[in-house]
Amino acid sequence: MMQIGSTVPSHNLDIFQERFSVNCNGYSVKPITKACLSKTSMKTTSLPRTKFTRKHLSNLERLIGTEPEVIQLEPKVSADNGLPEAESRGKGGLLEGLHLPQIWPENKAAEEMSPRQLNRLQRLLSKNGMEYSPRNSLASRWREYHGSNNWVGLLDPLDENLRREMVRYGEFIQAAYHCFHSDPATSDKEAPSPRQVAIPDRSYRVTKTLYATASVGFPDWVDKVAPDLEWMTQRTSCIGYVAVCDDEREISRMGRRDIVISLRGTSTCLEWAENMRDLLVKIPDQSGGQPKVQCGFLSLYKTSGAHVSSLRESVVSEIKRLTRLYEGETLSITVTGHSLGAALALLVADDLSTCAQGIPPIAVYTFGGPRVGNRAFAKKLSSQQVKVLRIVNSKDIITRVPGMFVSEELDKKLRESKNMNVALNIVDNTMPWAYAHVGTELRVDTSNSPYLKPDADVSCCHDLEAYLHLVDGFLASNCPFRSNAKRSLVKLLREQNSNVKKLYTSKAKGLRLSLDTSKSKGLKLNLERNMQMSNCLPSPS
C-alpha cells in the first residue's frame, strides 16, 4: 500500500491536494478531492507488487512522516507497452517527483537536495583533512604542466593533473598565511627567530623564511595608543617562505626536484598603504624597452628591514644556494602567491630569471592577483621564458586594478586596429597608470558554485579558500561545477558562512554540524551520522 503521513498540516491540505504529484518508481499520486481524504471516505487500495514497491514506499514514509493516513492511488500505465510506468521507465527520483517548490515556492532551492546530494554534502562536510584528485605521475610531461607551452590544451577543459597541482600550490600559500597569523609580531630591535611553517605537503622542507618591509612607517605614538595591535603597524613582516621537495618518491613522480616560493597577501596596515601607491616606475631592462611596475609593490620587494634583508635579496640568495646544492639534478622553480603575494611573485620571477646562468625553468601560479606593471613588463617576462598562470575569479575586483583599462577584452580589440595600437603603445610608455596583465589566464566564477551565493560579497570573491573551491570544481568554461569535486567544504563554511547559500548552511545545521576545539589540530568538524530525511521538507508558514 502507498501511504502518506499525516504530517502535512491541515491548513496546507488544499495546496497539497491540488498541486502535489508524486512519481514513485512509476506510480502517480494524482490530484484528488477533499472528499477522498475525509476520514469517512478514506479506503485502502492495493497496488500491484513490484520488487521496488516496498523499498520506495518505506522511503516515502520516512520522508514525509510515520503515522500514515491512506489515500487512493492508481498505477500509471505506459502507453507503449501497457506495463506500469515503474517497470517501463525504471527507477525514478523521489525528491524530483515531489515538486517541493510548487508546494512551498519560497524554498525552490529545496528541490536541489536529493538524498544523493545530501549524502554528498555530508561527505564533504565530514572531512577533517583534504582529499585530492588522483596523484598521477607527471614525470614524462612535467615541463608541459610547468608551462613550457603556456598550458595550451590543459585549461579548457581543465586537466585533472593540472587542477591538482594548482590546488596544491594554493595550499602552499595558505601555509604562508598561517605562518604569519599564528605569530605576526616582529621586533625592530633584533633579528626574527626561525619560524615553523606547517606545509600541507610533507614531501617539501622549508629552507628559508621570507620577510617584506614597507618603505614608510607610522609614528611611535600609534603603537602606544593600541599596543595589542602593534603588529598591524610594523614595517617588517613574515610574508612567505622557500621550500624544496626532499621526498625521493615525489621527485620521481614529478620528474624533477621542485623548489617552491610561496607568498601571502596583504595583512598589515603598511602593506595596504604600499598597495595604494599605484604609480608606475621604471625598472632596469637590457633590451632597451621601458618596463614599469607599481611603485608600492616594488618598494615592499626591495626595501630592507632593520635586521632582515629585503625580499629580493633573500629570495635571490636562497635560490642561488639551492641551485648550487642540487647542481646536476633536474630542477624547477615554482613561485606562487595570492593578492599582494601574486604581485610580488611576478617581481620575484623577473629577478630570478636573470640572476644567474643555468637557472631552472620558472613557473608562476597566482590567485586573485592585481595588475603589476605595464605591457613592456609583460613582454620582458615573456622574453625571459617566465611562464605565468593567473587564476582569476570573474567577480574579483582586485584582479581589475590598478590601471586605466578595466576591460582586458576592450584593450585587446582596440589593439587590433593598427592606428589604435600605435596610440596605445605611446600611452603605455608615457602614462603612469597604463597597466597590463601578464601570462595565461584561467577564469573561474563564483556564480558557478552550487554552494556559494551568486551575489557573494567582495571578500568572498577574493578569498583564497573560495578560489581553491572554484578551481577544484571547474571542468570547462561551458560546463557546470563538477559533481565529484574533492575539496572539503569545512573551511569554506567556516570562513565564508554568510556567503554560502542558505540551503547548505541550514543543511549543515540539520546534519548537526559542530566545531569542537581540539588540543592538537585546532578546529575539528564532527558530524552526527543520523540524518533524518524528513528535514528536506520546509516548515510551512
Side-chain angles (χ1 to χ4, degrees):
M1 292 187 299
M2 179 70 176
Q3 298 177 332
I4 300 288
S6 59
T7 55
V8 179
S10 59
H11 58 274
N12 278 348
L13 197 56
D14 293 339
I15 302 176
F16 188 91
Q17 296 160 2
E18 295 173 5
R19 302 167 77 179
F20 193 46
S21 176
V22 181
N23 189 319
C24 180
N25 198 34
Y27 293 100
S28 175
V29 180
K30 296 184 177 179
I32 52 180
T33 63
K34 245 182 185 178
C36 294
L37 285 174
S38 66
K39 293 183 178 178
T40 59
S41 60
M42 284 188 182
K43 294 182 180 180
T44 301
T45 301
S46 299
L47 294 178
R49 295 285 182 179
T50 72
K51 62 181 180 180
F52 301 109
T53 302
R54 289 185 179 180
K55 176 181 177 182
H56 289 298
L57 297 187
S58 176
N59 287 343
L60 191 58
E61 286 178 8
R62 289 199 301 272
L63 179 68
I64 300 182
T66 55
E67 294 297 326
E69 292 213 24
V70 184
I71 63 173
Q72 295 182 348
L73 291 178
E74 295 179 10
K76 189 172 182 178
V77 178
S78 171
D80 297 329
N81 51 23
L83 295 175
E85 192 173 357
E87 299 178 15
S88 62
R89 191 176 58 185
K91 193 180 293 184
L94 276 176
L95 292 185
E96 293 176 2
L98 286 177
H99 299 305
L100 298 178
Q102 297 181 19
I103 306 173
W104 290 280
E106 68 276 8
N107 201 348
K108 292 184 179 180
E111 187 178 30
E112 299 175 12
M113 296 300 288
S114 68
R116 178 180 295 180
Q117 288 172 313
L118 278 173
N119 287 333
R120 177 168 172 263
L121 180 61
Q122 186 180 33
R123 175 178 63 83
L124 292 174
L125 289 174
S126 63
K127 295 176 184 175
N128 293 326
M130 296 296 180
E131 182 181 345
Y132 299 96
S133 297
R135 183 181 287 225
N136 300 321
S137 174
L138 307 180
S140 62
R141 301 175 58 192
W142 77 264
R143 293 183 184 276
E144 184 180 355
Y145 284 111
H146 202 60
S148 63
N149 195 31
N150 296 311
W151 296 279
V152 172
L154 298 177
L155 296 176
D156 197 2
L158 183 58
D159 182 272
E160 67 173 15
N161 293 319
L162 182 58
R163 177 192 291 112
R164 189 188 186 285
E165 292 298 289
M166 285 191 287
V167 171
R168 187 166 66 97
Y169 287 125
E171 289 181 352
F172 277 107
I173 307 170
Q174 288 184 327
Y177 273 110
H178 180 73
C179 176
F180 170 76
H181 289 294
S182 61
D183 184 18
T186 58
S187 174
D188 289 336
K189 299 178 181 179
E190 57 183 9
S193 57
R195 289 173 175 258
Q196 296 295 324
V197 184
I199 303 180
D201 193 329
R202 295 183 180 180
S203 59
Y204 284 76
R205 172 179 57 88
V206 174
T207 64
K208 191 173 186 64
T209 306
L210 302 175
Y211 294 84
T213 302
S215 60
V216 296
F218 287 108
D220 293 338
W221 63 263
V222 174
D223 293 334
K224 295 179 181 179
V225 171
D228 294 338
L229 295 178
E230 184 178 356
W231 64 270
M232 282 292 291
T233 60
Q234 65 192 11
R235 291 185 59 204
T236 299
S237 298
C238 173
I239 200 159
Y241 58 89
V242 179
V244 62
C245 184
D246 261 357
D247 185 271
E248 293 301 327
R249 287 190 300 178
E250 183 67 1
I251 293 171
S252 176
R253 184 191 73 84
M254 293 191 298
R256 84 281 189 191
R257 187 187 295 272
D258 188 34
I259 301 171
V260 169
I261 302 162
S262 177
L263 302 167
R264 63 163 174 82
T266 308
S267 297
T268 71
C269 291
L270 291 179
E271 288 170 0
W272 277 112
E274 294 284 23
N275 290 345
M276 298 299 105
R277 301 173 62 194
D278 60 349
L279 293 181
L280 287 167
V281 295
K282 290 183 180 180
I283 58 174
D285 181 34
Q286 297 178 356
S287 65
Q290 299 186 46
K292 300 177 183 179
V293 297
Q294 200 244 36
C295 176
F297 299 153
L298 187 63
S299 175
L300 276 170
Y301 179 58
K302 298 181 71 173
T303 303
S304 300
H307 299 280
V308 297
S309 302
S310 68
L311 176 59
R312 178 183 184 276
E313 293 169 340
S314 298
V315 169
V316 171
S317 63
E318 181 64 9
I319 294 302
K320 286 182 177 180
R321 186 186 73 83
L322 291 175
T323 52
R324 287 194 301 267
L325 178 63
Y326 299 110
E327 188 176 0
E329 294 188 30
T330 302
L331 300 175
S332 69
I333 297 174
T334 306
V335 193
T336 184
H338 170 245
S339 191
L340 168 64
L344 296 175
L346 295 180
L347 300 179
V348 167
D350 178 38
D351 266 332
L352 291 181
S353 63
T354 58
C355 70
Q357 293 292 327
I359 286 294
I362 300 173
V364 182
Y365 290 82
T366 67
F367 298 82
R371 297 186 179 106
V372 178
N374 63 356
R375 190 168 299 275
F377 175 68
K379 291 180 179 179
K380 180 175 186 285
L381 284 178
S382 179
S383 66
Q384 293 166 181
Q385 296 302 304
V386 173
K387 304 299 181 180
V388 180
L389 178 56
R390 295 183 299 108
I391 297 94
V392 174
N393 183 353
S394 297
K395 302 294 194 306
D396 185 1
I397 63 173
I398 301 300
T399 62
R400 306 174 197 169
V401 296
M404 294 191 316
F405 293 108
V406 176
S407 171
E408 297 290 319
E409 292 78 9
L410 175 60
D411 182 57
K412 184 177 180 180
K413 289 181 179 179
L414 291 175
R415 290 180 185 275
E416 292 175 355
S417 168
K418 185 176 180 180
N419 293 333
M420 286 301 300
N421 188 43
V422 172
L424 290 175
N425 285 335
I426 296 174
V427 170
D428 288 340
N429 295 327
T430 57
M431 294 297 291
W433 295 285
Y435 283 83
H437 269 306
V438 178
T440 304
E441 178 183 277
L442 172 67
R443 185 167 289 270
V444 295
D445 197 319
T446 304
S447 60
N448 290 336
S449 169
Y451 304 102
L452 294 173
K453 295 177 181 178
D455 59 344
D457 61 31
V458 174
S459 66
C460 177
C461 294
H462 189 60
D463 180 68
L464 179 56
E465 180 59 33
Y467 263 96
L468 300 186
H469 166 70
L470 295 174
V471 170
D472 184 56
F474 183 82
L475 282 173
S477 56
N478 58 349
C479 292
F481 203 85
R482 69 171 179 147
S483 60
N484 61 337
K486 305 291 185 182
R487 192 166 184 81
S488 171
L489 295 175
V490 175
K491 187 177 291 187
L492 187 69
L493 277 170
R494 188 166 65 231
E495 297 182 2
Q496 296 296 333
N497 187 274
S498 63
N499 289 297
V500 176
K501 290 179 181 177
K502 186 176 180 181
L503 173 66
Y504 294 101
T505 55
S506 64
K507 292 306 168 190
K509 294 177 183 178
L511 292 171
R512 300 174 187 261
L513 182 65
S514 64
L515 292 174
D516 297 331
T517 303
S518 172
K519 293 181 180 179
S520 59
K521 296 184 179 179
L523 292 176
K524 183 185 292 184
L525 184 71
N526 292 326
L527 286 167
E528 186 170 319
R529 294 286 181 179
N530 299 327
M531 183 172 57
Q532 297 296 328
M533 291 293 296
S534 58
N535 289 341
C536 291
L537 289 174
S539 301
S541 57

